[in-house]
Amino acid sequence: MKMLMCSKLSNRLIGSGLRLIVRVATLSLLFSFSAHAQENTNSKPQPDADNPSIKRPLATELPAPANQPDTPEKKPGFVRSVIDRFRNNDLPGDLQIHGFVTQAYIATSDNNVFGGSDNGGSFGLTEAGLNASIRPLPRLQLSAQVLSRRAGAGNSGTPRLDYAVLDYRLYSQETNQLGIRVGRIKNPFGFYNETRDVAFTRPSILLPQSIYFDRTRNLGLSSDSVQLYSDTAVFDWGTLSTQFGVSLPIVNDKDTESSLLGGVRPGKLEREVGYIGRGIFETNDKRLRLGVSGIWLNTSYDPNHRLGDPIGPGALRFTPVIFSAQYNAERWTLTSEYAIRPFKYNNNFRVPALNGLDFIGESYYFQGEYRFTPKIEGILRYDALFIDRSDRDGSRWAAQNPARHGLEHSRFARDITVGLRWNVTPEFMLRAEFHHVNGTGWLSRLDNPVAKDTEENWNLYGIQASYRF
Amino acid sequence: MDTGVRAESPYEIVTNPGVDEKTLTVNSLRSIFSMRLKTWPDGTKIRVFVLSDDDELHQIFSKEKLNVFPYQLRSTWDRLVFSGTGQAPTKVNSNEEMLAKISSTPGAIGYLWKANINENVNVLEIK
């Protein structure tokens, strides 16, 4: 715990340095939008793409190829053409723009998820993102994404800077790569964390909450960091991709505070230097993927004494390790992840509910996806969460305080999920899913402020539409 | 190097004529289409072009040349694009557009039905 305290000063320095880099990265991106007309990064002679002597004969004079399917040419619509214009590689710097918009409708039998879902359902989950990336030099990439998420009391939809990264490739040789990233970087842990807000990359509307908690998502999502990454060929079997970062977590939101401190407090959580690392081995045919991720997260509480804060300046450490495995066949994909999540609170919180807390959480899920056709996919998943693995039914926790009686179910959650996904086009997707949940371990406290009102056994129904480009 | 088999293949991996490489290992090809390998040996940018995920040539190319399913390529690219750690290949809407892009874009690599190939692109040999 002493270490936690000592690192505060260095935090300030690293913090301001990173903020500067994030700002520079964002500015250069904006700059590239306005200045691409003058830029010319290609030294090789570039034939004019509009030169009719090259382009015209191809479309009109070539005989129809024998092996080509004689399906009619797809006529891109207006939106498509506009997007294609922007994504055209002829733009200097190889500017790319991508984005997505997702809307879900969620209803629950009891308990609230993303707003008033218990009250006849709600359209409370809206996700939208827009990102841009450029390669001003062959080895340099700048990218940034702005994200808006409206989800219950914890996320209002205010756009925020999700990532802003400067990526420089230090070494590159066929299948071996080494590079460095600086800025606000998505936290690499598990299979889904970095793209958890993009419906197309998720297996379901709700990710397995045991590992991808939505209530502490801002903490887990991205952090201001410096990261080294590498890809290494492992014999002729596959590629090992590793990432290691030194980072400052983002702890300044109410959902995180409420989850870590048992309620919204008058003071605030301070950022402390942490570490994050992940290695994923992927076979050459991408069928088997095996990963290990680890986080070393520190934060301390800065009480607000003027508001009569009952809590003292305590510090806590969270050090989860996640093991991930996936097998991909043509029609089906099996995925499983297991996380062990140790929490350690020091003795300066001055309240018995937090002081000296020392417990280990455990989470895991098994998931099967089946592609009936390339357009229709089904999913089946069992997901389990235990806040304290030595007290799986919450009975010991409840016995510590009479007020906790009847709330044992807030210490675990077992979720059975069944869902269906329809890829209408590569850009548009519809999805429906059903959850039966035993336990309230991952419910947001902001959406369910009165613990006594929560129900142990409940169902969730969701539908979702998502568009991407 | 089995030219007999290559002659039967109805499509080829093609590059812009400015690309010096004449042959490529299958691992390098996979690395390029996974968007991990971003530069040619001479240090210039690799620019990857693909057809739509549901295009027949794209599907044949993915399965035969890379030995991966198209949905796996899509997941790989999505992870890069939406995590800010890479870029996706540029999608073209037709074989004609593929030919036009490959012949006019420095460092470009893609694939074409043999019947669509002309002297404005180089054919790569995959070892």
Side-chain angles (χ1 to χ4, degrees):
Chain A
M1 282 300 130
K2 265 178 203 154
M3 236 187 92
L4 292 182
M5 300 301 159
C6 301
S7 57
K8 260 194 172 173
L9 207 136
S10 59
N11 279 347
R12 300 262 151 78
L13 292 171
I14 295 180
S16 50
L18 282 174
R19 266 195 297 281
L20 186 71
I21 290 161
V22 168
R23 231 166 268 163
V24 169
T26 322
L27 275 178
S28 7
L29 266 175
L30 290 174
F31 177 75
S32 77
F33 283 113
S34 55
H36 59 67
Q38 305 148 2
E39 199 181 337
N40 192 358
T41 52
N42 305 314
S43 49
K44 291 187 178 184
Q46 185 169 357
D48 186 359
D50 293 327
N51 187 344
S53 67
I54 298 176
K55 222 179 175 180
R56 276 303 103 200
L58 310 178
T60 52
E61 291 171 21
L62 275 177
N67 293 303
Q68 203 185 343
D70 50 6
T71 45
E73 192 94 337
K74 279 181 194 160
K75 281 274 178 211
F78 174 73
V79 176
R80 191 74 252 166
S81 334
V82 171
I83 290 164
D84 284 346
R85 248 185 84 82
F86 276 104
R87 291 174 57 181
N88 193 323
N89 249 42
D90 296 346
L91 288 179
D94 296 272
L95 172 70
Q96 285 194 1
I97 295 175
H98 295 274
F100 61 92
V101 187
T102 310
Q103 177 64 54
Y105 176 83
I106 289 174
T108 47
S109 64
D110 304 279
N111 309 330
N112 283 322
V113 176
F114 304 138
S117 60
D118 187 16
N119 210 348
S122 104
F123 285 99
L125 178 62
T126 311
E127 300 156 297
L130 186 66
N131 67 58
S133 59
I134 52 164
R135 287 170 72 195
L137 301 168
R139 285 166 176 263
L140 179 68
Q141 180 179 326
L142 302 174
S143 41
Q145 177 162 274
V146 173
L147 192 74
S148 155
R149 186 171 192 266
R150 197 174 59 88
N155 295 91
S156 63
T158 311
R160 60 172 240 167
L161 180 66
D162 187 34
Y163 62 72
V165 190
L166 186 155
D167 181 329
Y168 190 76
R169 188 61 62 89
L170 300 166
Y171 171 82
S172 176
Q173 181 268 324
E174 287 206 339
T175 48
N176 298 302
Q177 322 290 339
L178 174 70
I180 185 167
R181 296 188 182 113
V182 182
R184 176 162 293 184
I185 304 176
K186 305 290 277 188
N187 288 335
F189 76 80
F191 282 146
Y192 298 113
N193 191 60
E194 295 156 281
T195 57
R196 63 188 294 164
D197 295 308
V198 190
F200 277 89
T201 70
R202 296 196 296 249
S204 46
I205 300 175
L206 291 186
L207 275 173
Q209 294 290 302
S210 72
I211 289 173
Y212 304 97
F213 284 94
D214 273 322
R215 71 180 187 202
T216 52
R217 64 186 300 286
N218 289 348
L219 173 67
L221 202 57
S222 46
S223 43
D224 296 334
S225 49
V226 177
Q227 187 186 83
L228 280 175
Y229 68 92
S230 68
D231 294 318
T232 315
V234 182
F235 305 110
D236 210 19
W237 303 339
T239 302
L240 175 66
S241 302
T242 56
Q243 283 161 274
F244 178 78
V246 179
S247 64
L248 283 174
I250 298 165
V251 289
N252 58 352
D253 73 289
K254 292 197 164 20
D255 239 349
T256 304
E257 194 173 300
S258 170
S259 299
L260 294 178
L261 301 177
V264 176
R265 308 295 183 180
K268 63 177 172 43
L269 286 167
E270 292 281 350
R271 314 173 81 187
E272 311 259 352
V273 170
Y275 307 92
I276 185 161
R278 181 180 66 187
I280 290 186
F281 171 76
E282 186 177 79
T283 54
N284 281 334
D285 57 12
K286 297 185 195 285
R287 281 183 180 241
L288 183 64
R289 302 175 70 215
L290 299 170
V292 185
S293 330
I295 298 174
W296 180 280
L297 174 102
N298 298 314
T299 179
S300 59
Y301 183 64
D302 182 14
N304 188 332
H305 293 301
R306 273 185 302 179
L307 293 176
D309 203 333
I311 298 188
L316 68 95
R317 176 185 296 162
F318 178 42
T319 50
V321 177
I322 300 164
F323 299 91
S324 315
Q326 184 171 70
Y327 189 81
N328 292 296
E330 181 152 27
R331 287 202 168 252
W332 45 271
T333 297
L334 295 179
T335 312
S336 181
E337 296 194 282
Y338 172 87
I340 181 158
R341 302 175 294 112
F343 284 90
K344 216 173 163 77
Y345 291 63
N346 72 7
N347 288 318
N348 297 329
F349 284 101
R350 298 197 197 119
V351 287
L354 297 174
N355 258 359
L357 273 186
D358 188 350
F359 59 94
I360 298 176
E362 191 176 69
S363 317
Y364 53 86
Y365 70 86
F366 302 97
Q367 171 181 288
E369 291 160 270
Y370 189 81
R371 286 168 280 278
F372 296 99
T373 74
K375 285 183 180 292
I376 308 281
E377 300 171 27
I379 181 173
L380 180 65
R381 180 172 64 218
Y382 177 73
D383 177 39
L385 161 73
F386 304 100
I387 305 282
D388 181 347
R389 68 169 179 175
S390 66
D391 180 29
R392 288 175 176 252
D393 60 2
S395 56
R396 219 174 58 210
W397 173 83
Q400 286 165 3
N401 184 336
R404 292 174 179 174
H405 184 70
L407 296 179
E408 289 87 346
H409 57 73
S410 68
R411 305 294 285 174
F412 60 85
R414 300 178 186 86
D415 178 352
I416 294 172
T417 305
V418 187
L420 213 54
R421 167 176 173 166
W422 178 23
N423 301 307
V424 184
T425 72
E427 291 84 25
F428 183 66
M429 179 257 289
L430 293 171
R431 184 144 66 185
E433 73 194 40
F434 167 76
H435 297 245
H436 174 71
V437 193
N438 164 237
T440 58
W442 47 256
L443 279 185
S444 163
R445 294 199 174 98
L446 294 183
D447 287 329
N448 301 274
V450 184
K452 290 277 183 203
D453 290 350
T454 55
E455 286 290 329
E456 176 170 351
N457 288 296
W458 54 291
N459 297 327
L460 182 148
Y461 313 83
I463 51 172
Q464 186 177 53
S466 186
Y467 177 76
R468 55 175 279 165
F469 62 87
Chain B
M1 289 283 281
D2 190 340
T3 46
V5 170
R6 275 170 45 76
E8 281 169 32
S9 174
Y11 63 96
E12 297 284 1
I13 315 298
V14 292
T15 63
N16 181 266
V19 172
D20 294 335
E21 265 32 57
K22 299 293 171 250
T23 63
L24 214 56
T25 65
V26 67
N27 282 340
S28 294
L29 185 72
R30 200 181 279 121
S31 205
I32 287 172
F33 279 86
S34 298
M35 305 303 279
R36 282 201 274 254
L37 179 56
K38 299 178 175 188
T39 48
W40 294 109
D42 68 357
T44 56
K45 283 181 196 174
I46 297 176
R47 294 185 168 104
V48 184
F49 290 86
V50 293
L51 289 158
S52 168
D53 287 6
D54 49 14
D55 180 273
E56 187 192 355
L57 178 53
H58 177 73
Q59 299 194 347
I60 295 174
F61 162 78
S62 304
K63 288 187 206 171
E64 289 185 1
K65 293 289 179 197
L66 306 180
N67 193 24
V68 300
F69 303 114
Y71 81 87
Q72 294 171 300
L73 283 177
R74 176 52 60 193
S75 328
T76 301
W77 301 334
D78 280 350
R79 278 197 293 272
L80 294 172
V81 165
F82 291 104
S83 66
T85 56
Q87 289 191 319
T90 302
K91 200 190 103 183
V92 293
N93 292 313
S94 65
N95 292 283
E96 289 72 25
E97 193 186 348
M98 178 71 91
L99 178 58
K101 289 290 187 189
I102 300 289
S103 56
S104 67
T105 312
I109 183 168
Y111 43 76
L112 279 172
W113 294 112
K114 273 191 176 156
N116 286 26
I117 293 174
N118 69 11
E119 69 288 351
N120 293 325
V121 296
N122 278 356
V123 170
L124 261 190
E125 185 190 338
I126 306 302
K127 287 188 292 189

